[in-house]
Amino acid sequence: METLRLGFIGAGFIAKFQALAMKSVRGVDLVGVYALKGADELAAFAVENDLGDCKVCSSVEELCKHCDAIALFAPNYVRLELTEQIVAAVQAGAKLKGIICEKPLGRTVADAKQMVALARQAKLPTAYFENQIHMRSIKNALEQLAPQQKVMGPIALARSAEEHAGPHEPWFWDPIRQGGGVLSDMGCHSIAASWFVLTPVGKPATFLEPVSINAETALLKWGQPKYRQELLDRMGVDYSKTPAEDFCTGIVTFRNPETGQLVKGQFTDSWMYDKQGLRLVMDGLGPGYAFEVNSLQSPLEVFIGDAAADAVSDAETALEKSTASRGLLTVQPNEVDLYGYVDEITDARKAFLAGKDAFLSWEYGLEITKLVQAGYMSAELGKTIDLTDSAVQKELDSYTSLIAQGKGAEVLYYSAHD
């Protein structure tokens, strides 16, 4: 079996999650990492778990010379600059077979378009890492319901939600560095998942045409004085000055270009879900059939009483974003597989070794960025955005939401606050 030698840029939360997923992937070695912090720890993890002889590199150029493909797992605000360095390394002679970017592709449509242009300039196959589309529960449901879709008609309503109590790192909370709040961070997941679920069997991921989007953003928990102070103390981010939304919801309408049928994708995302931990809920409804996925339904539960709670050193050993270390805990035995990370790495490996884009390319990531930014535009203007209007598409090319500009108070605070 041919092996893809993969290098990571970034060694934070998502990089560690992806490295864990690689334990279940054949034919991929983690051979290099470049990061400002955490590189030694990640390299040691790779070696200890037989993922590859991982080298800590001192520059992007060195990493590119050492690998077959690069995975961008660095924070949103440095990805464009890092991609420029990768392209420069390729032009200087690095023989890369592909480049991966974790969602989102860009903080703005303009950024995402530059990312696509850079990859094409370097003639690099691309993979846009949107793990939820690779979730086996969703794929299996769609396979199981393929005969029903063929006879009864395609899924007409898809609903997707991702919720937890808030991100791990300060930059995620910072709307300027991250590109917004929960709509940018997790709305991209939910919009993509709904689009995928609605797509008729056998059609490409962008087959359905986005027609319109209506969205709302709100600051429901972390704008309250008590929790603003908690966020400032814990993360160093001041939501009295530069807030981001902790809740969003909306509906995207899609059109089947062959039949003209309109279908709906509903999304809801929040950073204020104070229950067990990360909750993913997706369902699809068609004529006479349906499916539902809920990540908090697990075959494994653990109970920890008050007397034993002090023995738990890390609540997240049970579930990503877990908020409790006692009581009846939901435990997912294999989160990296459940969330689709294993399959998205497998897909990228197969595509890059064949010299082509992954199932989800950076062009697809650009389309998701457009939908997310149109969602912000809808929330700001308080109206449905017509995605078929060429003037709207042109405006999106240069659009930066008020929240991403650091002016979130103008749209999230409607009255005087402490």
Side-chain angles (χ1 to χ4, degrees):
M1 173 181 283
E2 188 175 359
T3 297
L4 183 75
R5 299 177 306 134
L6 187 59
F8 283 9
I9 297 181
F13 175 79
I14 188 60
K16 293 173 183 175
F17 228 82
Q18 295 284 0
L20 185 61
M22 286 180 64
K23 293 174 67 175
S24 300
V25 179
R26 298 174 62 203
V28 180
D29 284 350
L30 180 55
V31 299
V33 57
Y34 167 71
L36 297 183
K37 61 178 182 179
D40 290 330
E41 178 185 353
L42 186 66
F45 176 87
V47 173
E48 291 167 6
N49 288 276
D50 298 319
L51 302 183
D53 186 10
C54 188
K55 175 183 178 181
V56 175
C57 297
S58 60
S59 68
V60 171
E61 181 180 13
E62 181 187 1
L63 181 67
C64 290
K65 291 179 179 179
H66 192 63
C67 305
D68 295 324
I70 299 293
L72 273 171
F73 297 140
N76 300 2
Y77 59 94
V78 295
R79 289 182 185 170
L80 183 56
E81 176 187 347
L82 290 168
T83 302
E84 291 172 342
Q85 294 180 40
I86 293 168
V87 171
V90 171
Q91 292 172 337
K95 305 296 184 182
L96 292 182
K97 300 180 186 294
I99 181 171
I100 295 164
C101 185
E102 175 66 21
K103 65 81 193 169
L105 187 64
R107 292 179 293 171
T108 63
V109 173
D111 280 359
K113 282 193 168 184
Q114 287 187 62
M115 295 280 283
V116 170
L118 284 166
R120 294 309 170 219
Q121 175 187 332
K123 298 181 180 179
L124 282 173
T126 62
Y128 174 70
F129 265 19
E130 171 44 71
N131 58 284
Q132 290 182 18
I133 286 180
H134 291 278
M135 289 177 65
R136 295 183 188 181
S137 52
I138 294 178
K139 291 191 292 185
N140 289 351
L142 295 177
E143 290 173 5
Q144 179 74 26
L145 293 172
Q148 284 71 30
Q149 291 206 51
K150 183 177 181 180
V151 174
M152 304 295 291
I155 293 172
L157 173 63
R159 295 178 292 203
S160 180
E162 180 175 10
E163 301 178 282
H164 57 61
H168 288 94
E169 297 290 336
W171 71 266
F172 272 108
W173 294 90
D174 181 346
I176 297 173
R177 289 189 291 170
Q178 194 255 100
V182 73
L183 175 53
S184 173
D185 177 36
M186 301 199 304
C188 59
H189 280 308
S190 299
I191 290 171
S194 291
W195 194 358
F196 179 67
V197 165
L198 291 167
T199 301
V201 176
K203 298 296 185 180
T206 56
F207 170 75
L208 293 177
E209 300 172 347
V211 171
S212 65
I213 184 169
N214 186 287
E216 294 185 16
T217 57
L219 186 53
L220 300 179
K221 173 183 176 179
W222 297 103
Q224 298 179 40
K226 175 181 179 180
Y227 301 108
R228 287 205 311 265
Q229 188 60 50
E230 178 187 325
L231 188 59
L232 181 61
D233 294 343
R234 184 162 54 93
M235 294 290 181
V237 178
D238 191 347
Y239 267 25
S240 69
K241 296 178 180 178
T242 55
E245 77 283 358
D246 61 10
F247 174 83
C248 72
T249 190
I251 293 179
V252 185
T253 301
F254 299 93
R255 179 172 56 216
N256 185 317
E258 293 178 353
T259 66
Q261 180 184 3
L262 298 179
V263 294
K264 302 280 186 177
Q266 185 178 27
F267 60 92
T268 297
D269 301 274
S270 80
W271 287 342
M272 46 164 296
Y273 185 77
D274 289 316
K275 288 188 69 180
Q276 296 99 316
L278 173 64
R279 181 178 75 159
L280 300 178
V281 179
M282 297 100 161
D283 65 8
L285 306 175
Y289 63 89
F291 79 87
E292 181 175 334
V293 175
N294 186 337
S295 67
L296 292 186
Q297 294 177 347
S298 173
L300 173 62
E301 291 181 340
V302 169
F303 177 79
I304 299 174
D306 289 346
D310 290 340
V312 178
S313 60
D314 182 3
E316 286 200 275
T317 58
L319 187 75
E320 181 189 343
K321 304 294 193 303
S322 181
T323 58
S325 59
R326 67 187 69 193
L328 189 62
L329 306 179
T330 300
V331 181
Q332 286 294 353
N334 191 345
E335 282 189 285
V336 292
D337 188 50
L338 170 68
Y339 300 147
Y341 294 110
V342 171
D343 282 21
E344 74 177 354
I345 297 173
T346 301
D347 173 67
R349 173 201 169 272
K350 183 177 179 180
F352 288 170
L353 290 178
K356 61 183 183 179
D357 290 332
F359 175 65
L360 303 178
S361 68
W362 282 15
E363 279 85 356
Y364 173 85
L366 169 59
E367 296 306 312
I368 295 297
T369 302
K370 288 181 182 178
L371 291 174
V372 168
Q373 295 308 312
Y376 278 112
M377 183 182 289
S378 172
E380 283 182 16
L381 299 177
K383 69 176 187 180
T384 299
I385 300 300
D386 182 358
L387 297 169
T388 68
D389 186 340
S390 59
V392 169
Q393 292 293 329
K394 184 176 181 181
E395 186 176 357
L396 285 171
D397 285 344
S398 58
Y399 172 76
T400 302
S401 71
L402 289 173
I403 292 172
Q405 293 178 47
K407 301 176 182 178
E410 296 181 22
V411 292
L412 297 171
Y413 291 131
Y414 294 97
S415 60
H417 56 277
D418 295 333

